[in-house]
Amino acid sequence: MKAAARRDKYRVVLVPPLHADGLLPLAAGLLKACALRDPFLRGRVEITILEPWVGAEEAPARVAALKPDLAGFTVYGGLALTKKAAQGVKKLCGAKIIFGGPLAGSVPAGEIFSGGAVDYAVAGEGELAFVAVLRALLGRGDLAGVRGLSYAEGGRVAVNPPGESVKDLSTVPSPYLGGLFKWAGYPRIPFENSRGCRGSCLYCAITRNYREFGIRRARAELARILSDFPELRTLFLIDPDLCQNSAMPQLLRLLGGEVSRRGINVEIQMDLRNLDERRIPLLNDRAFILGVGVQSVFPETCRLINRRMDFGELRRKTGLLAAAAPRAKVVLSFIIGLPGDTYKNCLANFDWGLSVNAGLFFHRLRVYPGTPLGKAAARLGIKFQELDPYYVLSVPSLGAAGLKRACALAREVSLAANIVFADKYFGFLFRHIARGHAGEFPGVALCRRVNRLARADKGMAAAAAETDAFQDDGDWSGLDVNTFRERRAWLIGELAGLERGRERRAFAARYAGFCEARLAWERVDGATADRVLRLAAGERLRSPSLLVCGAASSDPARLSGCDFSRELLVEEKFGFFPTPPARDRFYADRPALPAAAAGALKGGHFRDIVVSQVLGALPAAGRVGLLRRLLGSAGFGAKLFIIDSGLGYPEFGPGWELTGSWMECARETLENDLRSAGWRLTRTVPLGKWSVFCAERA
């Protein structure tokens, strides 16, 4: 009989979270990088990161096929599912199993080790413990001396003293710079710039020991990420609060540069309490998605969980974000079921959230036993589930019935609330109407009415089914506007019909007509739009050419065949339509458009200029100013094509919300503006709700 080949190295397979959904497994890369840096381990272990990510059903076979001695699972949630997959690995190949990740240190060791699937578990930061465990398994150390480790031994679970955090993060090798990830197709990639949090919220498991990696490492890692992962669509900053980072300004400039130009989204978590107002303009980038943890607007509730809340400061800073960083997408998160919550408080949280132009997420409190809140639960009278996901069951101020009622309301109005966020045209009118209605919670009341309208419409069935399938009770920012794109104009018209008072109803009706015209243009396909411009120009657009349009417009993608030499996109906050990357693209916020255009038009000498939909967004002086700047950048024999409905534009206040007034921009007004700026209108091409106004130098 032939002898089995001797295995030279101890084989380890690291498994990403089983619900990773395209997220690169940074934790596994850090563990591998630290282990391979150890001189003793480097020649004795073979570490494989399971790439790409896998689901729970396929994980056992994929892992077992690699014949590991040790299989490591990163656990962020879904503990039961991960244990089942680990049991499958053990059954197929007999590998030892080690768990790590945030959940491993937040739940009782008994729950992790029950069932016999898990042999080892590491709580806290895992790099130092992982290296020590491998050394011990290879005879260079004792498991009993590994801080932060729990392990099954002789029918019991041994729990060692708490683990140590890495004091100097510069000593942690970068898996990005080391080229440790072998699959280039990750669409979502985590980007770590710090660890820990200076806050002390009781429900949180994050260490209070705050440290930073430094801006030099950030620059080097980002360059490598952009080079190695061409499918990247979202860069996810895993720092719990970027505002605490001393290099925040440099990081924002770095992320708003090349990352933004490539059309990559950047998800940033921040606590507005720590946001320096001077840094808000640095957040003004369409690439940025800002996740803001509010939790509750009530100071007493926040005090009970060791958070500070100044509602006036919160309102002021959200207003500043809207005014000074209009291009950023903001998502506010709240927690339902905090100690001190009442049903009325929950309604107030819902109502205030609906009054802000932001995505909203209301999730039920999870009380992990290992967190300070879990340890104080009995004292605070909190009851929660005994196993993962550890949802709160009741708090003294709310009770089980009140909590159930609040969660039911969050789910009941989820469709309407998602429409408010997904369709920005709809959202502006919704908030304007709610502000004018009397009552204690006008936003919630209006949301319920919209919810009934939407659910009664057969055309909204797909959107209703999508929101009903959301796992969280209050996920109010997960719906894609394209799910109900054919019903958008109808929904806005129905919403306008809910307004009260003659003048306010007249404004709402006019706004609905404006939106209908805008949406009609958005439905025009690229081939038709190209033919329209050729008809107006009498030929193909000449180069160099310029496109000026809304940042939320599909014009840059739809008119890509026109091959514009330069684009000036105007932020109107009417949506977040993804625009294809372009080398020569500029952005300008609507109030500052004439001034911002100066830099974008510098050295242009354009032969053909197309201005689509945005001219009416400016008051008369602003329109004339922009038209003069366009004339100054026009080359010899240049032509100007203005696509406009002649309906004018709703007036917005400093906080980018509707005022109820209107800016007129009828055809006669536009002709006068062109003449005042030195242009001559040559002809008009009608397009139903739209017209193309053709002009040349007077």
Side-chain angles (χ1 to χ4, degrees):
M1 181 176 178
K2 187 176 180 180
R6 184 175 65 87
R7 181 182 292 182
D8 294 327
K9 294 185 178 181
Y10 189 81
R11 191 171 295 173
V12 181
V13 174
L14 298 177
V15 185
L18 298 179
H19 47 81
D21 296 329
L23 184 67
L24 177 144
L26 176 59
L30 288 164
L31 295 177
K32 180 174 180 177
C34 287
L36 296 183
R37 185 188 57 179
D38 184 277
F40 173 75
L41 295 177
R42 190 179 304 124
R44 293 175 172 84
V45 297
E46 175 186 297
I47 301 176
T48 301
I49 300 173
L50 198 63
E51 299 182 89
W53 68 96
V54 294
E57 293 184 357
E58 59 182 310
R62 285 276 304 277
V63 174
L66 297 172
K67 300 179 179 179
D69 299 293
L70 178 70
F73 288 80
T74 301
V75 190
Y76 287 108
L79 180 59
L81 196 67
T82 308
K83 286 170 63 177
K84 182 179 179 181
Q87 187 69 63
V89 171
K90 178 166 284 192
K91 182 178 180 180
L92 288 173
C93 66
K96 294 289 187 180
I97 303 295
I98 184 169
F99 273 16
L103 202 62
S106 302
V107 304
E111 184 180 354
I112 294 175
F113 287 91
S114 65
V118 181
D119 299 287
Y120 318 104
V122 173
E125 294 179 17
E127 291 93 349
L128 298 178
F130 182 65
V131 171
V133 167
L134 290 179
R135 290 176 64 92
L137 293 176
L138 292 174
R140 287 294 182 95
D142 184 359
L143 290 176
V146 181
R147 296 178 65 103
L149 178 70
S150 301
Y151 57 100
E153 182 181 58
R156 68 179 186 90
V157 176
V159 180
N160 293 346
E164 295 179 304
S165 299
V166 179
K167 293 183 175 63
D168 181 1
L169 292 183
S170 67
T171 64
V172 178
S174 167
Y176 293 122
L177 301 181
L180 298 187
F181 301 106
K182 305 305 180 185
W183 193 63
Y186 290 106
R188 300 183 68 231
I189 292 181
F191 190 43
E192 186 180 32
N193 297 283
S194 66
R195 287 187 183 176
C197 177
R198 295 189 179 100
S200 54
C201 304
L202 297 183
Y203 54 79
C204 187
I206 297 174
T207 176
R208 293 357 177 202
N209 181 17
Y210 181 79
R211 296 140 293 151
E212 297 176 5
F213 280 95
I215 190 65
R216 290 182 61 184
R217 173 162 170 155
R219 288 196 181 99
E221 284 195 332
L222 184 60
R224 189 65 182 267
I225 288 170
L226 295 176
S227 170
D228 289 356
F229 302 99
E231 301 302 316
L232 173 61
R233 295 295 174 266
T234 300
L235 192 69
F236 175 57
L237 272 65
I238 59 178
D239 311 63
D241 178 17
L242 189 65
C243 298
Q244 297 182 35
N245 198 304
S246 62
M248 180 182 177
Q250 298 97 307
L251 284 168
L252 291 175
R253 292 187 185 99
L254 179 67
L255 295 167
E258 183 63 22
V259 177
S260 178
R261 284 191 291 273
R262 295 191 184 201
I264 297 168
N265 290 324
V266 182
E267 294 185 7
I268 300 171
Q269 306 300 313
M270 61 174 48
D271 187 336
L272 289 187
R273 299 174 302 170
N274 301 321
L275 177 59
D276 185 334
E277 295 175 14
R278 296 170 298 179
R279 296 175 177 177
I280 290 178
L282 294 174
L283 297 168
N284 192 27
D285 195 297
R286 286 182 65 83
F288 292 164
I289 302 173
L290 311 179
V292 177
V294 177
Q295 319 317 355
S296 173
V297 300
F298 290 93
E300 177 59 21
T301 297
C302 291
R303 185 188 67 79
L304 290 173
I305 54 171
N306 211 28
R307 277 180 71 88
R308 178 181 60 83
M309 168 53 64
D310 182 334
F311 186 46
E313 180 187 33
L314 174 66
R315 286 190 298 183
R316 185 171 55 81
K317 285 189 175 179
T318 52
L320 287 172
L321 271 178
R327 303 177 206 171
K329 182 178 181 180
V330 180
V331 179
L332 307 178
S333 63
F334 298 75
I335 298 177
I336 302 174
L338 290 170
D341 258 349
T342 64
Y343 181 68
K344 193 172 182 178
N345 284 5
C346 292
L347 286 175
N349 282 326
F350 294 166
D351 198 73
W352 183 77
L354 288 167
S355 74
V356 180
N357 187 0
L360 301 172
F361 194 93
F362 293 87
H363 57 93
R364 201 185 319 175
L365 175 66
R366 298 188 187 204
V367 186
Y368 293 106
T371 62
L373 186 61
K375 296 173 182 177
R379 174 174 59 83
L380 294 172
I382 301 172
K383 296 180 180 179
F384 58 95
Q385 294 174 337
E386 295 181 354
L387 298 174
D388 185 49
Y390 293 104
Y391 281 131
V392 64
L393 298 174
S394 70
V395 294
S397 56
L398 190 57
L403 177 62
K404 185 176 181 180
R405 189 181 174 197
C407 291
L409 176 61
R411 182 166 286 279
E412 173 198 336
V413 299
S414 179
L415 174 59
N418 266 279
I419 294 169
V420 171
F421 176 67
D423 189 340
K424 295 300 180 183
Y425 290 100
F426 185 96
F428 279 122
L429 184 59
F430 177 93
R431 289 187 295 277
H432 178 72
I433 292 175
R435 285 196 302 271
H437 282 194
E440 194 170 16
F441 305 115
V444 173
L446 183 59
C447 205
R448 279 174 150 160
R449 295 181 70 184
V450 171
N451 199 63
R452 289 192 291 270
L453 276 171
R455 289 189 178 276
D457 180 59
K458 292 182 179 179
M460 293 297 295
E466 185 173 327
T467 54
D468 290 345
F470 291 162
Q471 292 185 350
D472 291 281
D473 298 313
D475 184 350
W476 291 3
S477 59
L479 187 64
D480 187 336
V481 70
N482 289 315
T483 309
F484 58 96
R485 62 177 300 179
E486 299 302 323
R487 303 302 287 161
R488 292 177 68 187
W490 173 82
L491 279 168
I492 296 169
E494 292 295 303
L495 176 63
L498 299 178
E499 182 60 292
R500 302 168 184 170
R502 187 175 65 180
E503 290 186 5
R504 291 182 65 90
R505 284 180 69 91
F507 171 81
R510 187 172 188 181
Y511 178 83
F514 164 82
C515 294
E516 183 180 8
R518 277 288 190 101
L519 295 174
W521 174 250
E522 287 300 303
R523 287 195 294 270
V524 174
D525 60 43
T528 303
D530 185 63
R531 285 198 300 272
V532 166
L533 286 178
R534 289 196 185 205
L535 175 64
E539 58 182 328
R540 186 175 178 82
L541 293 182
R542 301 165 297 170
S543 186
S545 57
L546 169 70
L547 171 65
V548 183
C549 67
S553 169
S554 58
D555 281 340
R558 178 172 46 202
L559 299 175
S560 59
C562 295
D563 196 23
F564 288 102
S565 309
R566 191 173 300 177
E567 297 173 359
L568 174 57
L569 304 191
V570 183
E571 182 56 66
E572 304 173 276
K573 287 188 78 71
F574 276 139
F576 295 96
F577 190 90
T579 52
R583 181 178 56 83
D584 212 359
R585 175 179 292 153
F586 295 81
Y587 285 91
D589 298 330
R590 182 183 57 219
L593 175 56
L601 302 178
K602 187 176 181 180
H605 304 295
F606 303 106
R607 299 181 69 191
D608 283 328
I609 301 171
V610 177
V611 180
S612 177
Q613 308 182 74
V614 295
L615 199 60
L618 299 171
R623 290 195 300 270
V624 173
L626 177 61
L627 289 170
R628 283 175 177 161
R629 290 190 184 278
L630 292 174
L631 185 68
S633 68
F636 178 77
K639 294 180 180 179
L640 172 66
F641 306 97
I642 299 173
I643 303 172
D644 201 274
S645 65
L647 296 176
Y649 201 89
E651 186 178 90
F652 287 80
W656 291 70
E657 292 290 355
L658 294 173
T659 65
S661 298
W662 205 267
M663 295 188 294
E664 302 293 345
C665 189
R667 173 175 175 167
E668 296 77 13
T669 304
L670 185 55
E671 287 184 19
N672 290 333
D673 291 342
L674 285 166
R675 191 161 42 247
S676 298
W679 293 94
R680 179 175 64 88
L681 184 66
T682 56
R683 66 179 181 136
T684 303
V685 180
L687 297 171
K689 295 181 181 295
W690 291 87
S691 296
V692 180
F693 300 89
C694 309
E696 58 187 29
R697 189 186 296 270

